[in-house]
Amino acid sequence: MSCLSIKLPGLDLKNPIMPASGCFGFGREYAKLYDLNVLGAIMIKATTAEPRFGNPTPRVAETNAGMLNAIGLQNPGLEKVLSEELPFLANYNVPIIANVAGSLIEDYVKVAKEISAAPNVHALELNISCPNVKTGGIAFGTDPAVAFEVTKAVKEVSEVPVYVKLSPNVANISEIAVAIEQAGADGLTMINTLLGMRIDLKTGRPVLANGTGGLSGPAIKPVAIRMIHEVSQKVSIPIIGMGGVQSAEDVLEYLFAGASAVAVGTANFVDPFICPTIIEELPYKMHELGFEHISECIGRSWKQHAKIAYSRT
Amino acid sequence: MKKAWMTIISQTNIARNIYEMTLEGELVDLMSSPGQFVHIRVTEGFDTLLRRPISISCIDKENRQCKITYRAEGKGTMLLALKQPGEKLDVLGPLGNGFTVDELQRGDHALIVGGGIGVPPLLELTKQLNRRGVSTTHVLGFQSKEDVFYKNEFAYFGDTYVATVDGTYGTEGFVTNVLEEIQPPFTTLFACGPTPMLGALENLYPDKNVYLSLEERMGCGIGACFACVCHLQNDPEGYSYKKVCTDGPVFRAGEVVL
Ligand SMILES: Cc1cc2nc3c(=O)[nH]c(=O)nc-3n(C[C@H](O)[C@H](O)[C@H](O)COP(=O)(O)OP(=O)(O)OC[C@H]3O[C@@H](n4cnc5c(N)ncnc54)[C@H](O)[C@@H]3O)c2cc1C
Ligand SMILES: Cc1cc2nc3c(=O)[nH]c(=O)nc-3n(C[C@H](O)[C@H](O)[C@H](O)COP(=O)(O)O)c2cc1C
Ligand code: FES
């Protein structure tokens, strides 16, 4: 038994570290740099029913300790993901979490049904929280009734456990989380990016062609920690946490807040080797703090006595 | 492509806000094609967070050294300008597909056009072309006299003309004003600079072999984030695309929407 392994619905993770959706493409680029087999899982780029080009450029802008992006869910579409991207990833012994997006509930249902049947997809991540698409996206993630509806519809057709990705751009995140749990979700992933904007002083116009974009990186970590700390005490399904993770310390902070695993997004751009580096450092950091298994860390910030929340493998 | 520490050998201010930095390290072994770039982390902290793409302006394999030439303008490049010889830089590279020199033979003539901070990658290009026996004419455009750099370096390899927007040096106006004047004979044109300049060149020489180096804001620099994509000219509204970081930064004129 490894001190890093953990079982979550559908996911037998050798360690709790995975690249976040949209920050790792479909793995091809990073596969040139290191062996993807070291990863706990991979959350692949959002897949929509039809191919999407996304938003006009510039699509990214830097901020203090973070970045804004307005990629607009560019992806090759369901068919190509099924025929080209997933078979490529099948060369690796890594569970895949497929990020599903759409404009209508029917889109989510179609993509979820077909992609969940792919042999190496072990779980779905419903992206009902992308701030960069006009219809769907965030609209689904900010209304508890709609979030319930889309989760339930997808649960009915999915062949694998369903995680729902929460938007931080809401007043009451627990309300949404509880609605999603009641709809039958197997887990939550949180958080997606925070809606933001930057303005170019020379032109007087927003830096991003789209006007607004999603804020990610270290700047959003405290927001994510607060939300996970709150939500994890209100739901009994596990949470995969993300937002500004850069180090093993950050991972432990997420676990303490109540996450059961952690995804790394923007940091992959800063250091393409960040995931394997964190995986290597995590056991030392845990040992330093006196933990033998990551399950002891989960929810430590609010649990009276650290108890083992999930079965070890 | 590799991520490695490179040692700063020298840092020189060569024109207004323009710096030339010599870097040494094993990464140089992987560098070949002119026009490729490196992705540099300018601080180890979070501010600035993202790497900065900068072209390779000179490759010296023998000494395992290369040069980058950059304009200190924003936060990241200003931090870079403060670095001292002896310090180490976190460099990812070489990235992208540069200019193809193999298509040109001894006796061919190439026209090389650079605008502002687009000039640096063309220096390694002209060096490699001349080494192949290809002769070159250079037209470099800048804002003003104080911004002019690398004129003598280019002149070493072939005829070199300079245009400044305010007319304080060389021909007054844009590189296109010089081109109208000199009407150079050439088979292939290589250019790097502001997008309007690249567009003008594309329109000026529809029947020639034209290669343009593009700039786009980057996230990853390696093809994973979709920050730097552009439409294709034969499918301007569709789903097909090229990524500037991995398919480019050098494209054939007519290939992508500028
Ligand atoms: C392939 C490629 C090669 C380049 N080669 C050179 C070179 O040889 N010399 C040189 O001086 N510059 C070069 N640039 C432009 C250079 O990357 C930017 O000037 C630089 O990133 C600006 O950073 P900053 O911190 O000074 O500006 P800031 O405005 O503080 O940067 C904020 C953000 O915007 C991005 N950004 C700002 N301007 C640009 C730009 N023009 N292109 C892309 N991203 C930008 C930055 O990377 C950063 O993420 C190149 C760009 C590309 C894409
Ligand atoms: C360039 C970029 C693209 C993204 N694309 C997606 C996406 O396709 N689907 C999704 O659910 N989240 C997407 N995200 C959000 C990330 O998965 C993650 O939730 C967020 O960036 C916070 O983590 P970080 O701070 O570690 O980046 C994207 C983020 C970035 C920066
Ligand atoms: S910069 Fe990430 S795909 Fe080009």
Side-chain angles (χ1 to χ4, degrees):
Chain A
M1 189 197 77
S2 146
C3 67
L4 295 185
S5 61
I6 189 153
K7 263 196 165 94
L8 299 181
L11 303 166
D12 213 340
L13 304 176
K14 48 186 173 281
N15 64 64
I17 309 301
M18 59 193 82
S21 179
C23 302
F24 209 71
F26 295 92
R28 287 181 194 274
E29 293 76 21
Y30 292 90
K32 289 182 197 150
L33 293 168
Y34 62 86
D35 180 3
L36 302 185
N37 286 315
V38 302
L39 299 169
I42 298 175
M43 298 170 131
I44 57 173
K45 176 97 193 121
T47 301
T48 53
E50 305 301 329
R52 280 207 196 176
F53 182 82
N55 292 322
T57 54
R59 295 174 170 191
V60 293
E62 201 180 57
T63 67
N64 294 343
M67 69 181 276
L68 289 171
N69 91 81
I71 307 293
L73 299 185
Q74 176 153 21
N75 78 92
L78 177 62
E79 222 169 279
K80 274 235 167 81
V81 172
L82 287 173
S83 65
E84 290 171 21
E85 306 298 348
L86 286 168
F88 164 75
L89 286 165
N91 295 320
Y92 299 91
N93 180 27
V94 178
I96 302 302
I97 303 173
N99 188 276
V100 173
S103 307
L104 304 166
I105 292 191
E106 296 88 88
D107 299 339
Y108 281 94
V109 168
K110 178 185 160 63
V111 178
K113 190 172 175 189
E114 294 189 33
I115 210 164
S116 68
N120 55 333
V121 168
H122 291 223
L124 299 186
E125 179 183 41
L126 288 197
N127 182 2
I128 59 167
S129 51
C130 180
N132 297 323
V133 286
K134 292 216 170 52
T135 47
I138 202 163
F140 287 104
T142 50
D143 179 336
V146 185
F148 180 93
E149 221 40 61
V150 66
T151 306
K152 192 156 168 284
V154 167
K155 262 306 278 183
E156 271 163 22
V157 300
S158 177
E159 300 193 12
V160 295
V162 175
Y163 292 71
V164 180
K165 188 163 188 175
L166 300 188
S167 166
N169 302 305
V170 294
N172 186 345
I173 190 141
S174 293
E175 184 190 20
I176 310 258
V178 167
I180 288 168
E181 181 178 36
Q182 282 167 354
D186 301 277
L188 299 172
T189 67
M190 56 193 291
I191 55 175
N192 210 319
T193 52
L194 282 143
L195 195 56
M197 181 186 258
R198 280 208 57 200
I199 292 163
D200 184 333
L201 295 184
K202 277 191 207 131
T203 63
R205 287 208 291 270
V207 174
L208 296 175
N210 193 48
T212 59
L215 179 63
S216 64
I220 71 167
K221 198 182 87 180
V223 179
I225 296 284
R226 187 272 289 176
M227 289 181 160
I228 291 167
H229 181 264
E230 180 185 323
V231 169
S232 62
Q233 297 177 70
K234 299 259 167 68
V235 300
S236 51
I237 48 177
I239 296 170
I240 301 175
M242 63 200 77
V245 174
Q246 306 260 348
S247 65
E249 281 95 335
D250 291 343
V251 170
L252 289 171
E253 199 174 335
Y254 269 87
L255 296 177
F256 275 31
S260 299
V262 168
V264 180
T266 304
N268 288 292
F269 308 154
V270 181
D271 176 1
F273 295 93
I274 193 74
C275 288
T277 304
I278 291 177
I279 292 163
E280 217 168 280
E281 281 172 4
L282 193 53
Y284 297 100
K285 204 74 229 168
M286 278 166 52
H287 184 74
E288 233 176 87
L289 293 167
F291 295 103
E292 280 178 18
H293 192 271
I294 52 159
S295 54
E296 298 159 29
C297 306
I298 298 167
R300 178 118 187 135
S301 66
W302 49 267
K303 277 179 192 164
Q304 284 292 352
H305 304 287
K307 58 182 183 207
I308 296 176
Y310 304 99
S311 61
R312 300 174 174 192
T313 53
Chain B
M1 171 198 13
K2 215 175 169 175
K3 188 173 90 78
W5 291 98
M6 296 189 84
T7 308
I8 301 173
I9 300 299
S10 68
Q11 161 102 282
T12 321
N13 180 210
I14 57 169
R16 178 162 63 180
N17 299 333
I18 306 285
Y19 292 81
E20 183 190 73
M21 188 186 263
T22 307
L23 296 169
E24 189 175 294
E26 54 182 303
L27 215 66
V28 177
D29 297 347
L30 304 174
M31 295 177 180
S32 53
S33 146
Q36 285 187 298
F37 64 100
V38 287
H39 215 21
I40 300 176
R41 191 165 178 196
V42 290
T43 59
E44 278 182 64
F46 296 161
D47 228 1
T48 59
L49 186 69
L50 295 174
R51 288 172 179 270
R52 298 296 192 262
I54 305 285
S55 304
I56 301 161
S57 54
C58 180
I59 308 170
D60 173 4
K61 293 231 176 206
E62 224 167 273
N63 295 306
R64 275 196 162 168
Q65 292 186 350
C66 69
K67 284 193 203 316
I68 55 169
T69 312
Y70 61 95
R71 181 160 58 208
E73 201 173 44
K75 211 181 204 170
T77 45
M78 284 209 268
L79 283 170
L80 197 58
L82 294 175
K83 304 245 178 225
Q84 301 293 326
E87 285 185 61
K88 292 201 188 305
L89 266 191
D90 176 350
V91 181
L92 179 67
L95 303 177
N97 291 309
F99 296 102
T100 21
V101 293
D102 319 356
E103 284 171 17
L104 282 82
Q105 315 294 334
R106 176 167 297 279
D108 283 344
H109 190 87
L111 172 62
I112 294 181
V113 181
I117 202 58
V119 166
L122 301 170
L123 187 58
E124 175 65 24
L125 172 69
T126 191
K127 193 175 91 190
Q128 290 198 16
L129 287 172
N130 278 275
R131 204 186 287 149
R132 291 178 67 82
V134 175
S135 55
T136 49
T137 299
H138 317 110
V139 183
L140 313 177
F142 301 95
Q143 283 299 322
S144 186
K145 188 179 175 190
E146 296 135 293
D147 304 315
V148 178
F149 63 95
Y150 283 169
K151 182 189 175 280
N152 296 337
E153 283 79 352
F154 277 94
Y156 176 79
F157 295 107
D159 290 344
T160 301
Y161 303 84
V162 172
T164 52
V165 177
D166 66 3
T168 46
Y169 193 92
T171 305
E172 179 172 347
F174 300 115
V175 290
T176 40
N177 296 98
V178 176
L179 291 169
E180 268 162 37
E181 229 171 79
I182 63 171
Q183 307 267 351
F186 66 95
T187 51
T188 309
L189 164 65
F190 299 97
C192 182
T195 310
M197 182 193 100
L198 301 180
L201 293 171
E202 188 174 271
N203 293 333
L204 205 56
Y205 301 111
D207 307 322
K208 300 273 193 184
N209 251 336
V210 177
Y211 293 93
L212 308 172
S213 181
L214 267 55
E215 248 184 39
E216 191 50 79
R217 297 221 171 201
M218 293 188 176
C220 64
I222 62 171
C225 75
F226 289 82
C228 67
V229 296
C230 45
H231 282 289
L232 304 190
Q233 284 197 7
N234 63 15
D235 183 21
E237 304 285 322
Y239 305 122
S240 36
Y241 62 88
K242 292 276 178 190
K243 290 175 185 157
V244 173
C245 67
T246 45
D247 299 315
V250 176
F251 294 97
R252 225 174 228 284
E255 201 176 348
V256 299
V257 177
L258 294 177

